């Protein structure tokens, strides 16, 4: 795909005057080193801004998601409860990571951005897979591998791709597998073998999709599993993502946050017009490649995830024109303005060149790209509004103790944990603690480990 010179969206409209309530990104980001700062003195005029203008414009989808969750728990009887108990219940439902912020050591003169940064760290910690979650996922793969080799072909390989292979999976993400065999395998026969072995429930064998697939839920944990045959493209993509994460450590944290954000708005699946995991990784990677302060080494990306999240929402929610600019993350990354495609309906889409295959556009099927950018737009306004309000609260109540500052979340309603994810984690933990796999043949040949998983 030919590349032509394009105006970098980072330098377009980033400093336009919308309000006198602005805070420079340099004040929010942690600098690299003094020597690195000296090199960037001439770049001050190119600094982008973060608007701290009070706004209350959430997308309709965000409001609906929160209203549904509130309605589901509205039957709880709060009569006789104090305000503190009600607030605690609210955050237990929406923000289970919030208690972790109270244990963090912060200075007495803490700023709103420090509070925002510390809460985001706690959210990321909450999203980290537990030892039980990693063990059970590996055991599910082992069970499937055992069935395939015993019932279909002893020489067949069962390989993992997708988010679990690249370690960017959420607690309820599905497991993507491919069966590779020199002997032709029949998808229906594989499904029958898995069903007979008691591995799965809700089995679906979809033969007429662009990529035929078996879909089911693991019988013990309820985790979703997708299996395809004899395709190595997913394995190659997973390796590319692992390589990108090694080169840009901040990529994993930002990807997890964006995936959670889109998942809670039902925009994380391509078939509904949203962005798939591979496309999300590429959008985040492009941000890290093109960010002027990272390119000039004024900041270290992994030390400034909170600021970069705001930049991500600002870039793709305000400044990036998906109708005329495409993204390539090959090499040092670039933008291109030729051969920009649209959806089948004629609407704009994210044009994202596949790092594995330049002729494949991994954003072309995300027909609701405008809905995605609208959500990014609303998230930026809501987050900056929360930071502004917290700053005002700190200035107006100097005698406020640190625990009091943690009574409200700065990330809500932009981020919340859906009930399904919480229940999924509880189920996996119970299965693991109760050793519900006992009696299964595959459990006898699986290597159960006691130490914490150290997958990178």
């Amino acid at each position: 795909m030919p590349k032509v010179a394009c105006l970098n969206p980072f330098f377009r409209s980033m400093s336009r005057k919308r309000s006198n309530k602005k805070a420079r990104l340099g004040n929010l980001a942690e600098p690299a080193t003094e020597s690195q700062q000296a090199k960037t003195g001439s770049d001050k005029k190119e600094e982008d801004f973060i608007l701290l203008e009070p706004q209350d414009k959430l997308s309709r989808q965000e409001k609906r998601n929160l209203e549904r969750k509130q309605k589901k728990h509205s039957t709880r009887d709060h009569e006789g409860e104090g305000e503190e108990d009600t607030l605690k219940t609210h955050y237990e439902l929406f923000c289970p990571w919030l208690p972790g912020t109270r244990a963090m050591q912060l200075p007495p003169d803490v700023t709103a951005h420090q509070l925002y940064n510390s809460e985001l760290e706690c959210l990321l910690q909450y999203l980290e897979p537990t030892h039980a979650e990693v063990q059970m996922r590996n055991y599910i793969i082992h069970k499937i591998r055992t069935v395939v080799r015993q019932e279909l072909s002893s020489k067949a390989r069962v390989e993992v791709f997708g988010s679990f292979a690249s370690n960017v999976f959420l607690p309820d993400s599905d497991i993507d597998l491919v069966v590779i065999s020199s002997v032709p395998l029949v998808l229906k026969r594989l499904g029958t073998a898995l069903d007979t072995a008691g591995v799965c429930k809700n089995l679906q064998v979809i033969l007429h999709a662009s990529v035929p697939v078996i879909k089911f839920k693991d019988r013990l944990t309820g985790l979703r599993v997708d299996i395809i045959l004899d395709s190595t493209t997913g394995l190659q993509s997973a390796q590319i993502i692992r390589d990108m994460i090694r080169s840009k450590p901040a990529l994993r944290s930002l990807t997890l946050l964006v995936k959670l954000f889109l998942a809670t708005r039902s925009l994380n699946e391509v078939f509904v017009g949203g962005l798939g995991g591979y496309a999300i990784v590429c959008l985040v990677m492009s941000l890290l490649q093109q960010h002027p302060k990272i390119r000039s080494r004024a900041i270290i990306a992994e030390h400034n995830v909170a600021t970069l999240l705001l930049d991500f929402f600002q870039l793709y929610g305000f400044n990036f024109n998906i109708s005329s600019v495409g993204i390539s993350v090959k090499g040092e990354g670039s933008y291109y303005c030729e051969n920009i495609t649209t959806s089948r309906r004629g609407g704009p889409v994210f044009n994202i060149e596949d790092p594995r295959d330049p002729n494949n556009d991994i954003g072309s099927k995300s027909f609701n790209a405008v809905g995605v950018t609208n959500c990014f737009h609303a998230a930026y306004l809501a987050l900056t509004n929360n930071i502004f309000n917290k700053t005002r609260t700190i200035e107006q109540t100097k005698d406020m103790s640190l625990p009091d500052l943690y009574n409200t979340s700065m990330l809500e309603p932009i981020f919340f944990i859906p009930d399904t994810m919480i229940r999924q984690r509880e189920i996996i933990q119970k299965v693991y603690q109760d050793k519900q796999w006992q009696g299964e043949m595959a459990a006898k040949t699986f290597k159960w480990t006691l130490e914490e998983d150290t997958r990178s």
Side-chain angles (χ1 to χ4, degrees), residues 41-53:
S42 61
D43 297 330
K44 294 295 184 181
K45 61 184 178 181
E46 294 180 335
E47 285 184 342
D48 43 326
F49 292 83
I50 288 179
L51 300 177
L52 298 184
E53 182 177 8

PDB file of all heavy atoms in Angstrom, residues 41-53:
ATOM      1  N   GLY A  41      13.871  21.168  24.398  1.00  0.00           N
ATOM      2  CA  GLY A  41      13.496  22.532  24.732  1.00  0.00           C
ATOM      3  C   GLY A  41      12.881  23.269  23.576  1.00  0.00           C
ATOM      4  O   GLY A  41      12.002  24.109  23.732  1.00  0.00           O
ATOM      5  N   SER A  42      13.372  22.953  22.368  1.00  0.00           N
ATOM      6  CA  SER A  42      12.840  23.634  21.195  1.00  0.00           C
ATOM      7  C   SER A  42      11.485  23.130  20.771  1.00  0.00           C
ATOM      8  O   SER A  42      10.859  23.689  19.893  1.00  0.00           O
ATOM      9  CB  SER A  42      13.815  23.463  20.018  1.00  0.00           C
ATOM     10  OG  SER A  42      13.958  22.083  19.722  1.00  0.00           O
ATOM     11  N   ASP A  43      11.029  22.033  21.400  1.00  0.00           N
ATOM     12  CA  ASP A  43       9.752  21.445  21.004  1.00  0.00           C
ATOM     13  C   ASP A  43       8.592  21.957  21.819  1.00  0.00           C
ATOM     14  O   ASP A  43       7.473  21.501  21.649  1.00  0.00           O
ATOM     15  CB  ASP A  43       9.819  19.920  21.128  1.00  0.00           C
ATOM     16  CG  ASP A  43      10.843  19.327  20.190  1.00  0.00           C
ATOM     17  OD1 ASP A  43      11.065  19.909  19.122  1.00  0.00           O
ATOM     18  OD2 ASP A  43      11.415  18.290  20.555  1.00  0.00           O
ATOM     19  N   LYS A  44       8.819  22.882  22.761  1.00  0.00           N
ATOM     20  CA  LYS A  44       7.756  23.332  23.656  1.00  0.00           C
ATOM     21  C   LYS A  44       6.567  23.881  22.891  1.00  0.00           C
ATOM     22  O   LYS A  44       5.429  23.702  23.280  1.00  0.00           O
ATOM     23  CB  LYS A  44       8.286  24.404  24.615  1.00  0.00           C
ATOM     24  CG  LYS A  44       9.330  23.880  25.596  1.00  0.00           C
ATOM     25  CD  LYS A  44       8.734  22.865  26.539  1.00  0.00           C
ATOM     26  CE  LYS A  44       9.737  22.413  27.571  1.00  0.00           C
ATOM     27  NZ  LYS A  44       9.197  21.403  28.481  1.00  0.00           N
ATOM     28  N   LYS A  45       6.836  24.545  21.777  1.00  0.00           N
ATOM     29  CA  LYS A  45       5.733  25.167  21.058  1.00  0.00           C
ATOM     30  C   LYS A  45       4.819  24.143  20.397  1.00  0.00           C
ATOM     31  O   LYS A  45       3.730  24.479  19.961  1.00  0.00           O
ATOM     32  CB  LYS A  45       6.282  26.109  19.991  1.00  0.00           C
ATOM     33  CG  LYS A  45       7.156  25.405  18.947  1.00  0.00           C
ATOM     34  CD  LYS A  45       7.744  26.411  17.988  1.00  0.00           C
ATOM     35  CE  LYS A  45       8.649  25.733  16.963  1.00  0.00           C
ATOM     36  NZ  LYS A  45       9.248  26.711  16.043  1.00  0.00           N
ATOM     37  N   GLU A  46       5.288  22.863  20.292  1.00  0.00           N
ATOM     38  CA  GLU A  46       4.477  21.845  19.657  1.00  0.00           C
ATOM     39  C   GLU A  46       3.706  21.008  20.660  1.00  0.00           C
ATOM     40  O   GLU A  46       3.076  20.033  20.306  1.00  0.00           O
ATOM     41  CB  GLU A  46       5.364  20.920  18.814  1.00  0.00           C
ATOM     42  CG  GLU A  46       5.983  21.642  17.630  1.00  0.00           C
ATOM     43  CD  GLU A  46       6.854  20.701  16.829  1.00  0.00           C
ATOM     44  OE1 GLU A  46       7.354  19.712  17.394  1.00  0.00           O
ATOM     45  OE2 GLU A  46       7.023  20.963  15.634  1.00  0.00           O
ATOM     46  N   GLU A  47       3.772  21.400  21.950  1.00  0.00           N
ATOM     47  CA  GLU A  47       3.077  20.626  22.969  1.00  0.00           C
ATOM     48  C   GLU A  47       1.570  20.653  22.713  1.00  0.00           C
ATOM     49  O   GLU A  47       0.996  21.661  22.327  1.00  0.00           O
ATOM     50  CB  GLU A  47       3.341  21.191  24.356  1.00  0.00           C
ATOM     51  CG  GLU A  47       4.735  20.861  24.866  1.00  0.00           C
ATOM     52  CD  GLU A  47       4.900  21.372  26.283  1.00  0.00           C
ATOM     53  OE1 GLU A  47       4.110  22.227  26.696  1.00  0.00           O
ATOM     54  OE2 GLU A  47       5.820  20.915  26.941  1.00  0.00           O
ATOM     55  N   ASP A  48       0.967  19.486  22.923  1.00  0.00           N
ATOM     56  CA  ASP A  48      -0.472  19.426  22.807  1.00  0.00           C
ATOM     57  C   ASP A  48      -1.093  19.716  24.157  1.00  0.00           C
ATOM     58  O   ASP A  48      -0.431  19.742  25.177  1.00  0.00           O
ATOM     59  CB  ASP A  48      -0.925  18.054  22.293  1.00  0.00           C
ATOM     60  CG  ASP A  48      -0.180  16.926  22.953  1.00  0.00           C
ATOM     61  OD1 ASP A  48       1.015  17.081  23.265  1.00  0.00           O
ATOM     62  OD2 ASP A  48      -0.813  15.894  23.148  1.00  0.00           O
ATOM     63  N   PHE A  49      -2.392  19.948  24.156  1.00  0.00           N
ATOM     64  CA  PHE A  49      -3.087  20.355  25.368  1.00  0.00           C
ATOM     65  C   PHE A  49      -4.140  19.329  25.731  1.00  0.00           C
ATOM     66  O   PHE A  49      -4.658  18.620  24.892  1.00  0.00           O
ATOM     67  CB  PHE A  49      -3.770  21.718  25.158  1.00  0.00           C
ATOM     68  CG  PHE A  49      -2.796  22.862  24.999  1.00  0.00           C
ATOM     69  CD1 PHE A  49      -2.227  23.132  23.773  1.00  0.00           C
ATOM     70  CD2 PHE A  49      -2.466  23.647  26.083  1.00  0.00           C
ATOM     71  CE1 PHE A  49      -1.342  24.182  23.626  1.00  0.00           C
ATOM     72  CE2 PHE A  49      -1.587  24.702  25.937  1.00  0.00           C
ATOM     73  CZ  PHE A  49      -1.025  24.967  24.702  1.00  0.00           C
ATOM     74  N   ILE A  50      -4.448  19.299  27.014  1.00  0.00           N
ATOM     75  CA  ILE A  50      -5.571  18.521  27.516  1.00  0.00           C
ATOM     76  C   ILE A  50      -6.575  19.503  28.080  1.00  0.00           C
ATOM     77  O   ILE A  50      -6.252  20.277  28.982  1.00  0.00           O
ATOM     78  CB  ILE A  50      -5.132  17.525  28.596  1.00  0.00           C
ATOM     79  CG1 ILE A  50      -4.339  16.406  27.930  1.00  0.00           C
ATOM     80  CG2 ILE A  50      -6.318  16.976  29.346  1.00  0.00           C
ATOM     81  CD1 ILE A  50      -3.826  15.389  28.886  1.00  0.00           C
ATOM     82  N   LEU A  51      -7.759  19.513  27.512  1.00  0.00           N
ATOM     83  CA  LEU A  51      -8.783  20.435  27.968  1.00  0.00           C
ATOM     84  C   LEU A  51      -9.341  19.971  29.294  1.00  0.00           C
ATOM     85  O   LEU A  51      -9.679  18.810  29.453  1.00  0.00           O
ATOM     86  CB  LEU A  51      -9.909  20.515  26.935  1.00  0.00           C
ATOM     87  CG  LEU A  51      -9.494  21.003  25.544  1.00  0.00           C
ATOM     88  CD1 LEU A  51     -10.689  20.960  24.633  1.00  0.00           C
ATOM     89  CD2 LEU A  51      -8.910  22.392  25.618  1.00  0.00           C
ATOM     90  N   LEU A  52      -9.458  20.876  30.228  1.00  0.00           N
ATOM     91  CA  LEU A  52     -10.062  20.574  31.514  1.00  0.00           C
ATOM     92  C   LEU A  52     -11.346  21.362  31.668  1.00  0.00           C
ATOM     93  O   LEU A  52     -11.653  21.923  32.702  1.00  0.00           O
ATOM     94  CB  LEU A  52      -9.098  20.892  32.659  1.00  0.00           C
ATOM     95  CG  LEU A  52      -7.811  20.069  32.637  1.00  0.00           C
ATOM     96  CD1 LEU A  52      -6.974  20.397  33.859  1.00  0.00           C
ATOM     97  CD2 LEU A  52      -8.123  18.591  32.623  1.00  0.00           C
ATOM     98  N   GLU A  53     -12.100  21.413  30.603  1.00  0.00           N
ATOM     99  CA  GLU A  53     -13.362  22.154  30.601  1.00  0.00           C
ATOM    100  C   GLU A  53     -14.471  21.248  31.113  1.00  0.00           C
ATOM    101  O   GLU A  53     -14.636  20.128  30.624  1.00  0.00           O
ATOM    102  CB  GLU A  53     -13.679  22.601  29.175  1.00  0.00           C
ATOM    103  CG  GLU A  53     -14.941  23.423  29.062  1.00  0.00           C
ATOM    104  CD  GLU A  53     -15.136  23.889  27.643  1.00  0.00           C
ATOM    105  OE1 GLU A  53     -14.390  23.443  26.767  1.00  0.00           O
ATOM    106  OE2 GLU A  53     -16.031  24.693  27.417  1.00  0.00           O
TER     107      GLU A  53
END
